[in-house]
């Protein structure tokens, strides 16, 4: 790797933080996590080589093209390529000489619900021949507790003097660049003793800018770091399912779950964030993480401790059933042969990710029940088409609404929130809207002549 001049800076108002740029970094895996991490590290001034086994992905990244929609990524990628601080390759040998090797490969759900560690294991095995003493392997992927200790032993046995640590990632899709460059906190899971101290110093250099700005940094042992990540996601999933359970109660009791969330959210101990009732959570993290966490707790003989996560999962999946049932109800019992406009396919706004997307699942189920579905999403049509080519994809909100007998808003994109309900009323055949994310202005849509059905209100 290129060795840039080591420059020493003073950072922070205290003037005590000393750090050197650039750190020579490798990032293994160029998916949502790795591509953003690699580009962000180059943006911070480090010297980065990023590796992936997928030549198509590497070719696009090397050409400055983000392989998925993530606000801000194209800009930092172009900047990093222009500065010469980043290279993309399929050749693992090119990571040789990096001081810090980040593992950023996926840990998808396996057939039993447990995490599939194939990619993590393959990444470590193929890294080992190119690793040298004094270098650090830094896991960022979400793994079952105990994985890091196993990999740490593998690394130090194969390359004495090399150290594996765990530094989980908490980025949210849609805010991934911001969350990587200035996260809420850093968590370093390191071994005891000198190796651990050297690892902390190395990561402090990597993250010097954010640390100088005061970002909290917690140094813990390996299992704690692994658990911090998965328990944070389990907590977030539980918070969402809690409010969705309240939505179920509100629906039968005649209450409004949005007002309820506002009211309980004023209690600082509860907080309003992640209390938006709707279709529930999806994506590549929360659903598979709660299942993997449960599976791991079972393996460790403490399955009962996480038994509640089965309910969290069940409440979440019931939201999708509820919307399908509501669609049938508002259309007089059946959706077969009826024109349904589906607005939103991504699992959340500002993303083209349709992994475990509640919106796409509902669209596909309505099609399965015989509805004629016109589906639109500002960014996720191409990704949705790969999974469900049989849906009728349209190119605008207006195209979806035209002649619709029912409108379903399933992802809370700004474009849908802002759409003029009067214009919508003029386009549809039947003014009924199901607001699956409670994101529309109910009064404005009602005033425009729509029958409005929200979630839990
Ligand atoms: C999640 C976590 O929020 C990140 O901290 C974590 O780093 C990441 O997983 C990961 O493990 O990599 P992400 O999957 O990008 O991030 O999405 P979230 O913003 O957490 O949203 C997840 C789902 O919950 C979405 O489908 C969203 O619509 C839903 N949600 C969120 C609700 O239904 N209600 C809410 O109030 C909030």
């Amino acid at each position: 790797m290129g060795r840039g001049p080591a420059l020493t800076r003073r950072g922070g108002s205290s003037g005590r933080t000393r750090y050197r740029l650039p750190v020579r970094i490798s990032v293994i895996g160029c998916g949502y996590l790795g591509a953003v991490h690699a580009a962000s590290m180059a943006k911070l001034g480090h010297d980065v080589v990023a590796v992936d086994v997928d030549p198509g992905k590497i070719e696009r990244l090397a050409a400055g093209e983000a392989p998925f929609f993530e606000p801000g990524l194209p800009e930092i990628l172009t900047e990093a390529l222009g500065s010469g601080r980043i290279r993309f390759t399929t050749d693992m040998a090119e990571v040789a000489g990096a001081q810090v090797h980040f593992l950023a490969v996926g840990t998808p759900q396996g057939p039993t619900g447990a995490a599939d560690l194939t990619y993590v294991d393959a990444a470590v095995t193929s890294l080992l021949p190119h690793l040298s003493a004094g270098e650090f392997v830094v896991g960022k992927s979400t793994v079952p507790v105990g994985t890091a200790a196993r990999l740490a032993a593998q690394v130090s046995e194969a390359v004495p003097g090399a150290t594996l640590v765990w530094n989980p990632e908490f980025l949210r899709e849609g805010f991934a660049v911001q969350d990587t460059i200035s996260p809420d906190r850093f968590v370093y899971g390191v071994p005891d003793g000198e190796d651990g101290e050297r690892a902390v110093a190395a990561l402090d250099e990597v993250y010097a800018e954010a640390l100088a700005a005061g970002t909290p940094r917690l140094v813990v042992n390996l299992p704690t770091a692994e658990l911090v990540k998965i328990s944070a996601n389990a907590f977030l999933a539980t918070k969402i399912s809690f409010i969705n359970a309240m939505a179920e109660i509100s629906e039968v009791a005649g209450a409004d779950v949005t007002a309820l969330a506002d009211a309980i959210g004023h209690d600082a101990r509860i907080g309003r964030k992640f209390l938006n009732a709707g279709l529930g959570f999806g994506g590549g993290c929360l659903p598979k993480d709660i299942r993997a966490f449960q599976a791991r707790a079972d393996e460790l003989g403490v399955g009962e401790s996480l038994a509640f996560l089965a309910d969290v999962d069940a409440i979440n999946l019931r939201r999708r059933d509820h919307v399908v049932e509501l669609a049938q109800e508002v259309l007089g019992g059946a959706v077969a042969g009826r024109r349904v406009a589906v607005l939103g396919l991504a699992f959340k706004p500002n993303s083209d990710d349709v992994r475990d997307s509640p919106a796409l699942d509902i669209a596909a189920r309505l099609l399965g029940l015989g509805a004629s579905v016109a589906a639109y999403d500002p960014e996720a049509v191409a990704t949705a088409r790969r999974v469900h080519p049989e849906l009728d994809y349209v190119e605008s909100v207006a195209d979806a609404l035209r002649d619709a007998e029912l409108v379903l808003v399933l992802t809370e994109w700004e474009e849908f929130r802002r759409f003029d309900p009067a214009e919508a009323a003029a386009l549809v055949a039947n003014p009924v809207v199901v607001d699956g994310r409670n994101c529309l202005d109910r009064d404005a849509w009602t005033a425009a002549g729509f029958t409005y059905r929200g979630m839990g209100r």
Side-chain angles (χ1 to χ4, degrees), residues 33 142 169-175 179 185 229 232-233 236-237 239-241 243-244 272-289 316 346-349 351 353 355-358 410-412 437:
L33 166 59
T142 305
E169 184 56 62
F170 302 99
L171 65 81
R172 299 159 296 168
E173 286 177 26
F175 301 91
D179 286 351
R185 78 295 208 185
K229 170 60 198 253
N233 277 1
L236 294 171
K239 202 169 177 189
I240 299 167
S241 278
I243 202 64
N244 280 325
R272 180 63 178 82
K273 288 181 184 165
F274 268 64
L275 281 184
N276 293 322
L279 298 186
F281 56 84
C285 302
L286 265 41
K288 64 113 175 144
D289 284 354
N316 192 52
F347 84 106
K348 69 173 191 180
S351 173
D353 196 345
R355 286 177 294 172
D356 212 336
S357 168
L410 303 182
T411 312
E412 67 276 35
R437 293 291 183 181

Side-chain angles (χ1 to χ4, degrees), residues 137-379:
V137 181
V138 182
K140 293 208 78 69
S141 312
T142 305
V143 290
V145 61
T147 307
R150 171 172 69 77
L151 296 174
Q154 190 186 347
V155 164
S156 44
E157 191 185 324
V159 186
T163 305
L164 179 133
V165 302
W166 219 260
N167 166 225
E169 184 56 62
F170 302 99
L171 65 81
R172 299 159 296 168
E173 286 177 26
F175 301 91
V177 173
Q178 174 194 323
D179 286 351
T180 304
I181 290 178
S182 34
D184 290 343
R185 78 295 208 185
F186 292 104
V187 174
Y188 302 172
V190 302
D192 287 338
E194 246 177 63
D195 284 348
E197 282 165 25
R198 287 191 314 106
V200 170
L203 286 175
D204 279 355
E205 290 205 359
V206 172
Y207 300 127
E209 195 171 302
L211 291 171
T215 306
R217 181 201 71 177
L218 292 95
V219 180
V220 297
N221 66 13
L222 291 176
T224 306
E226 292 167 306
L227 275 179
V228 167
K229 170 60 198 253
I230 198 116
S231 63
N233 277 1
F235 188 87
L236 294 171
T238 304
K239 202 169 177 189
I240 299 167
S241 278
F242 176 83
I243 202 64
N244 280 325
M246 295 308 109
E248 290 180 342
I249 312 266
S250 297
E251 270 150 26
V252 295
D256 181 340
V257 76
T258 306
L260 182 152
D262 290 344
I264 64 173
H266 279 297
D267 183 331
R269 293 169 303 173
I270 297 174
R272 180 63 178 82
K273 288 181 184 165
F274 268 64
L275 281 184
N276 293 322
L279 298 186
F281 56 84
C285 302
L286 265 41
K288 64 113 175 144
D289 284 354
I290 57 168
R291 293 168 199 152
F293 200 10
Q294 260 178 291
R296 185 61 183 144
D298 285 340
E299 282 169 13
L300 294 171
V302 286
E304 263 182 35
S305 304
L306 296 185
F308 71 95
L309 288 179
D311 286 328
V312 168
D313 204 0
I315 293 166
N316 192 52
L317 295 175
R318 278 207 298 273
R319 300 311 291 165
R320 306 176 187 190
D321 300 339
H322 174 67
V323 171
V324 172
E325 283 157 17
L326 193 56
Q328 289 169 305
E329 182 198 315
V330 296
L331 286 175
V335 295
R338 313 294 290 275
R339 185 78 178 159
V340 179
V342 164
L343 299 183
L345 297 162
F347 84 106
K348 69 173 191 180
N350 299 314
S351 173
D352 65 358
D353 196 345
V354 296
R355 286 177 294 172
D356 212 336
S357 168
L360 184 56
D361 185 25
I362 288 168
R365 281 161 66 172
L366 292 173
L367 185 75
L369 291 169
S372 151
V373 177
Y376 171 72
D377 188 286
E379 293 294 338

Side-chain angles (χ1 to χ4, degrees), residues 395-430:
E395 294 195 348
S396 68
V397 177
D399 285 348
L401 295 179
R402 198 162 291 117
D403 304 326
E405 295 169 85
L406 168 64
V407 181
L408 298 179
V409 179
L410 303 182
T411 312
E412 67 276 35
W413 283 95
E414 194 57 35
E415 186 179 345
F416 307 155
R417 293 171 183 270
R418 281 202 325 258
F419 200 86
D420 178 7
E423 193 184 335
L427 286 162
V428 298
N430 181 35

Side-chain angles (χ1 to χ4, degrees), residues 15 60 67 79 91 95 126 185 201-202 227 296 385 401 426:
R60 291 178 70 180
E79 186 189 322
D91 182 5
V95 309
S126 53
R185 78 295 208 185
L227 275 179
R296 185 61 183 144
R385 202 194 294 276
L401 295 179

